[in-house]
Amino acid sequence: MSDLIFYTNPMSRGRIARWMLEEVGAPYETRLVDWTDKPADFLAANPMAKVPTIIHRGQVVTEAGAIIAYLADAFPDAELAPAPAQRAAYYRWMFFAAGPLEAATTDRALGVAPTAEQQGMVGYGSLDRVVQALKGAVSADTYIAGERFTAADVYVGSHISWGLQFGSLPNCEEFDRYLARLMDRPAAVRAREIDDALIAGATG
């Protein structure tokens, strides 16, 4: 059995974790999870029955953001996390993507828009506020946490790419310029090719 097992479906947030796994460069075993027939070993690892899920040397990690952060720490030779004393922006925008950004874009996709009175109750306030904060974040430096690519770029970049693809984020120059610095990375290209081939094989 591999030291690193990756449960995923190529039409899911598993694509985010796949990109990170390719950036890390460590060998891993992919176990595909069918939407309607989820294997017992997967359900034992993650009772929420959600992908992605990884098991690394017996340790289960779920939630895409947690998986990204965990892999950056578990494989330090890949240099995908800043030094601990330099992680303010890294943590800030990683958790921003996992919280306000995902909540706001999910609500948008579901047709949910909090009223002015309700905006104080939700962690993101409004989608417009999230978009403005994100535009500033991706424009402040070369990458989301400074001048060096990190795991936070995998996570934030994936969210922006999906948001533009599915119309939950507006097209803008700030997002386009940021993604142009990310999406041609060899690991990003490999990850897309792997998952696209899996989709083609399932539907072909």
Side-chain angles (χ1 to χ4, degrees):
M1 181 181 294
S2 173
D3 281 350
L4 183 53
I5 299 170
F6 173 43
Y7 292 95
T8 188
N9 185 293
M11 298 178 69
S12 75
R13 291 174 180 82
R15 295 179 74 101
I16 306 173
R18 172 86 70 186
W19 177 8
M20 184 63 181
L21 286 163
E22 292 298 318
E23 291 282 356
V24 164
Y28 62 93
E29 175 188 342
T30 299
R31 296 187 182 177
L32 295 178
V33 176
D34 186 270
W35 298 129
T36 58
D37 185 19
K38 296 177 180 177
D41 58 333
F42 167 64
L43 294 174
N46 186 356
M48 288 288 289
K50 302 286 286 184
V51 292
T53 295
I54 66 167
I55 303 177
H56 180 229
R57 296 179 178 174
Q59 300 293 315
V60 177
V61 188
T62 66
E63 315 315 315
I67 289 171
I68 303 308
Y70 174 85
L71 290 171
D73 288 341
F75 298 95
D77 289 348
E79 298 184 338
L80 291 169
Q86 300 172 341
R87 292 189 182 183
Y90 174 81
Y91 284 135
R92 177 186 180 184
W93 297 111
M94 183 92 75
F95 283 92
F96 179 88
L101 178 56
E102 174 141 3
T105 53
T106 298
D107 279 356
R108 167 71 176 271
L110 295 174
V112 175
T115 64
E117 292 76 18
Q118 293 170 331
Q119 287 178 12
M121 300 172 59
V122 295
Y124 61 86
S126 70
L127 179 60
D128 286 344
R129 189 176 298 176
V130 168
V131 168
Q132 290 307 311
L134 193 57
K135 285 182 180 180
V138 300
S139 304
D141 289 296
T142 304
Y143 296 104
I144 196 70
E147 293 303 312
R148 182 165 67 87
F149 177 88
T150 68
D153 292 294
V154 174
Y155 195 55
V156 175
S158 294
H159 275 280
I160 293 174
S161 178
W162 280 34
L164 296 179
Q165 180 181 352
F166 294 107
S168 56
L169 286 175
N171 289 293
C172 65
E173 292 183 1
E174 292 91 341
F175 294 160
D176 289 344
R177 286 196 298 266
Y178 176 61
L179 290 180
R181 297 192 285 271
L182 307 183
M183 293 304 173
D184 287 338
R185 290 180 61 83
V189 173
R190 286 196 306 273
R192 289 197 300 272
E193 288 176 347
I194 292 168
D195 281 325
D196 288 349
L198 289 170
I199 292 172
T203 58

